[in-house]
């Protein structure tokens, strides 16, 4: 089987990139996934998308791999470009892992995702979108509130100052998002309580892997218990040191409610194959969806792989299962595989050079 690991390599494209660490992490994921999949008769090769160049399509068109593992999280250092990749793979008629362009686009457009969840009756905190600074004066939600960029992921733009308790702080937080990210600010009611992640794997059936919970250490005694960008990516920060995750211990009823809400949210956005739904569970035991991650971090040390390990799948087994899930889904869609394409041809010298550059 020939697999191409498609990924973005754009972490050094911008001089001042607020998401640089997250973009660098993709390259590490690719290396780990290639090591896990290159076994037996499986050939797994990385292919990078450099900036906004689309010449990777020529390589894919010539090679016609059996599967593309889609690890792209941005295009030209713009997270909104993530949804373009499945569209291009659909044009090429190639099977790929993960969700469609529509699902990725909805998940990244947080206000639209919340509108869909609300329409489907899935619990999510009430919200308001601030497109201009004066819109912050019209926000009428119960305090405290949390402010984040409307169209980013990986906790980009989220700091301890993102949780606000009065109007002046709300205006400052919205102003920071509008100026730094050049996009609307999403203002939500902040739900105090536990932060629980539900990893989901498969389609029919779709299963929840063991749930994980964020544990906030001493650093968070005098600041909001949230996973900020520093807590997620800045290894030298106190927030990173004091934000850990572990298997979640819930009573059976609450765990069932969390899983059910996560499954409903995943289905509402028509996500597929794998992903993670982030919840805040209120002191009253109500799970609220705060984020849907259909293209979550697949690094061996990240939460998804840890949950899989707790379920009995080591990293090579997880990588193989992701491939199986995607192929099972694509098997019912013949348009994903074109006859006479030379799908099993070994790479020629030109292909090898491009793939080597991509790795």
């Amino acid at each position: 089987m020939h697999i191409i690991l498609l990924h973005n390599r754009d972490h050094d494209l911008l001089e001042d990139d607020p998401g640089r660490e997250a973009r660098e992490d993709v390259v590490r994921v690719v290396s780990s996934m290639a090591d896990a999949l290159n076994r037996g008769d499986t050939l797994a090769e990385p292919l990078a998308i450099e900036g906004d160049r689309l010449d990777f399509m020529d390589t894919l068109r010539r090679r016609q791999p059996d599967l593309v593992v889609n690890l792209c999280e941005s295009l030209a250092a713009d997270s909104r470009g993530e949804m373009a990749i499945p569209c291009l793979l659909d044009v090429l008629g190639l099977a790929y892992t993960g969700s469609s362009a529509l699902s990725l686009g909805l998940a990244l457009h947080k206000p639209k995702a919340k509108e869909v969840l609300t329409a489907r009756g899935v619990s999510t905190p009430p919200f308001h979108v601030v497109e201009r600074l004066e819109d912050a004066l019209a926000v009428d939600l119960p305090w405290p509130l949390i402010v984040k960029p409307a169209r980013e992921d990986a906790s980009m733009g989220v700091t301890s100052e993102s949780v606000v308790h009065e109007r002046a702080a709300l205006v400052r937080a919205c102003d920071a998002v509008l100026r730094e990210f050049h996009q609307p600010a999403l203002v939500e009611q902040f739900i105090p309580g536990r932060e629980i992640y539900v990893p989901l794997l498969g389609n029919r059936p779709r299963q929840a892997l063991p749930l994980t919970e964020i544990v906030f250490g001493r650093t968070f005694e005098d600041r909001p218990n949230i996973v900020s960008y520093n807590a997620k990516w800045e290894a030298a920060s106190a927030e990173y040191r004091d934000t850990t995750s572990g298997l979640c211990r819930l009573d059976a009823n609450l765990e069932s409610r969390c899983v059910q809400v996560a499954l409903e949210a995943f289905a509402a956005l028509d996500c597929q194959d794998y992903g993670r739904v982030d919840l805040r569970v209120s002191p009253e035991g109500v799970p609220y969806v705060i984020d849907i991650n259909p293209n979550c971090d697949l690094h061996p040390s990240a939460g998804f792989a840890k949950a899989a390990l707790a379920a009995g799948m080591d990293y090579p087994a997880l990588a193989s299962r992701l491939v199986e899930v995607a192929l099972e889904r694509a098997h019912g869609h013949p348009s994903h595989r074109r006859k006479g394409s030379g799908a099993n041809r070994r790479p020629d010298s030109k292909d090898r050079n491009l793939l080597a550059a991509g790795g």
Side-chain angles (χ1 to χ4, degrees):
M1 180 184 297
H2 183 211
I3 297 172
I4 285 183
L5 308 171
L6 189 65
H7 66 100
N8 54 290
R9 189 163 63 190
D10 50 7
H11 56 273
D12 56 355
L13 192 62
L14 303 179
E15 291 184 5
D16 185 18
D17 184 0
R20 179 185 177 90
E21 291 84 1
R23 293 186 224 287
E24 285 181 320
D25 186 63
V26 175
V27 179
R28 293 187 285 270
V29 174
V30 170
S31 177
S32 298
M33 188 70 68
D35 289 343
L37 289 174
N38 272 312
R39 294 163 184 259
D41 61 354
T42 297
L43 173 66
E45 300 178 282
L47 176 61
I49 301 177
E50 304 280 0
D52 60 357
R53 292 168 52 189
L54 300 183
D55 51 355
F56 72 93
M57 292 187 67
D58 292 332
T59 301
L60 291 174
R61 187 180 289 109
R62 286 195 305 272
R63 292 294 300 117
Q64 290 290 309
D66 297 290
L67 182 71
V68 175
V69 175
N70 179 21
L71 298 171
C72 294
E73 297 185 4
S74 60
L75 189 62
D78 189 336
S79 297
R80 293 171 297 179
E82 176 186 49
M83 67 179 295
I85 304 306
C87 287
L88 297 174
L89 295 175
D90 284 333
V91 168
L92 294 174
L94 295 174
Y96 55 87
T97 60
S99 290
S100 68
L102 176 61
S103 299
L104 294 181
L106 278 174
L108 192 63
H109 197 305
K110 298 182 188 298
K112 290 297 181 187
K114 289 175 71 68
E115 289 175 6
V116 172
L117 294 177
T118 301
R120 293 284 289 266
V122 181
S123 60
T124 187
F127 69 102
H128 188 99
V129 179
V130 172
E131 297 185 354
R132 301 171 301 171
L133 196 56
E134 51 265 37
D135 295 341
L137 303 176
V139 174
D140 184 20
L141 296 170
W143 303 91
L145 306 173
I146 183 168
V147 181
K148 60 186 78 169
R151 297 167 192 171
E152 297 290 345
D153 62 358
S155 291
M156 280 194 265
V158 178
T159 71
S160 58
E161 286 75 36
S162 296
V163 177
V164 298
H165 298 262
E166 44 85 24
R167 187 72 57 180
L170 171 63
V171 171
R172 288 194 298 271
C174 290
D175 183 52
V177 169
L178 293 170
R179 285 187 294 102
E180 184 172 2
F181 291 90
H182 309 289
Q183 61 183 269
L186 175 67
V187 181
E188 292 180 305
Q189 181 184 2
F190 177 68
I191 306 297
R194 304 168 71 175
E195 185 151 330
I196 294 173
Y197 296 164
V198 184
L200 299 173
L201 179 62
N203 295 302
R204 297 181 181 177
R206 177 170 294 142
Q207 69 174 116
L209 299 176
L211 278 58
T212 57
E213 180 172 3
I214 300 298
V215 179
F216 298 97
R218 294 180 59 185
T219 299
F220 294 88
E221 291 177 356
D222 60 350
R223 65 182 70 189
N225 287 5
I226 59 171
V227 182
S228 65
Y229 188 83
N230 282 350
K232 187 170 285 188
W233 300 109
E234 293 288 351
S237 70
E239 290 173 78
Y240 184 97
R241 183 192 64 234
D242 279 354
T243 305
T244 58
S245 63
L247 292 181
C248 185
R249 295 183 178 180
L250 299 173
D251 66 69
N253 288 336
L254 180 54
E255 180 173 353
S256 178
R257 289 199 300 273
C258 288
V259 170
Q260 186 59 36
V261 167
L263 289 170
E264 291 172 355
F266 216 62
L269 268 59
D270 202 23
C271 301
Q272 59 193 23
D273 291 1
Y274 71 94
R276 193 188 75 226
V277 179
D278 300 351
L279 308 174
R280 295 284 291 200
V281 179
S282 72
E284 296 76 28
V286 179
Y288 291 88
V289 176
I290 59 170
D291 204 8
I292 301 173
N293 297 278
N295 195 6
C296 62
D297 189 353
L298 293 176
H299 191 274
S301 65
F304 195 91
K306 288 181 177 179
L309 184 60
M313 281 185 285
D314 62 13
Y315 195 69
L318 171 60
S320 296
R321 183 60 187 145
L322 291 171
V323 168
E324 292 169 0
V325 165
L327 291 175
E328 287 169 1
R329 171 178 49 79
H331 184 70
H333 301 278
S335 61
H336 283 300
R337 302 297 303 134
R338 291 177 177 169
K339 295 181 179 179
S341 61
N344 295 317
R345 178 175 61 84
R346 305 296 289 182
D348 58 26
S349 58
K350 183 176 182 181
D351 289 328
R352 285 195 297 270
N353 290 338
L354 283 169
L355 290 165

